[in-house]
């Protein structure tokens, strides 16, 4: 087997992905994610780019279709469906990186403060949320309520 053939069998991580993976292991958030995944009875599998996929999440809270704890992406859909949606997977992966640069658990209160601030400003917990905007609102399935609606033609600037 040549070196190139071995690489296709084993997924290599970039240095940044490896640092994120190790940081989230060290700060305990990936372990927390695995504990929540186990308690919720999800199917856990190895995902791309150092992520762990926990599919089949059925608890009511949080309401989101997918969320992250460390490098664990917990989702209500099958892991294959999530990995076949590069925009959503990339959105969740950015949240994994946010855990790393927030040094783990401080991400959670920071995220909820940002969501509360967004709710107060826009009536929506994601539109003005720094973390959701950085991860990509549209990729996460959010609508940016801060974007003004186009004015209908002939309305003279008055919305009808």
């Amino acid at each position: 087997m040549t070196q190139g053939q071995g690489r296709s069998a084993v997924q290599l991580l970039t240095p940044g992905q490896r640092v994120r993976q190790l940081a989230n292991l060290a700060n305990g958030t990936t372990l927390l994610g695995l504990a929540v995944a186990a308690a919720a009875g999800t199917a856990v599998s190895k995902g791309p780019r150092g992520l762990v996929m926990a599919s089949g999440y059925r608890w009511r809270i949080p309401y989101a279709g997918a969320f992250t704890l460390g490098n664990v992406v917990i989702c209500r859909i099958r892991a294959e469906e999530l990995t076949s949606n590069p925009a959503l997977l990339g959105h969740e992966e950015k949240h994994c990186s946010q855990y790393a640069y927030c040094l783990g658990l401080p991400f959670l209160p920071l995220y909820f403060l940002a969501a509360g601030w967004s709710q107060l400003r826009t009536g929506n917990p994601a539109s003005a949320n720094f973390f959701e905007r950085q991860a990509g609102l549209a990729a996460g399935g959010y609508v940016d309520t801060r974007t003004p609606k186009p004015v209908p033609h002939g309305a003279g600037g008055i919305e009808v």
Side-chain angles (χ1 to χ4, degrees):
M1 172 168 47
T2 67
Q3 187 176 1
Q5 289 172 329
R7 287 179 189 219
S8 64
V10 177
Q11 179 189 17
L12 297 178
L13 300 179
T14 66
Q17 291 165 345
R18 178 66 69 198
V19 167
R20 178 186 63 213
Q21 185 182 51
L22 294 174
N24 285 337
L25 275 172
N27 67 36
T29 56
T30 294
L31 296 176
L32 175 62
L34 291 170
V36 168
T42 64
V44 176
S45 60
K46 186 176 179 180
R49 301 185 296 274
L51 303 177
V52 176
M53 311 304 289
S55 59
Y57 182 79
R58 303 252 184 271
W59 290 357
R60 289 184 175 195
I61 297 175
Y63 179 72
F67 65 98
T68 61
L69 288 168
N71 264 35
V72 182
V73 180
I74 302 171
C75 57
R76 297 182 185 283
I77 59 178
R78 291 186 359 256
E80 297 80 21
E81 291 176 72
L82 182 58
T83 56
S84 68
N85 182 339
L88 180 57
L89 184 62
H91 174 91
E92 296 304 331
E93 184 178 7
K94 287 177 186 165
H95 287 314
C96 296
S97 297
Q98 292 167 344
Y99 274 97
Y101 73 66
C102 288
L103 305 177
L105 290 178
F107 172 76
L108 292 172
L110 291 170
Y111 179 89
F112 290 118
L113 282 170
W117 176 248
S118 176
Q119 183 71 39
L120 286 172
R121 289 184 61 216
T122 68
N124 177 293
S127 288
N129 181 327
F130 168 80
F131 297 103
E132 291 298 347
R133 293 188 72 79
Q134 187 182 52
L137 288 176
Y142 299 107
V143 174
D144 188 352
T145 59
R146 295 180 350 161
T147 305
K149 295 177 185 174
V151 177
H153 295 296
I158 299 171
E159 191 171 325
V160 288

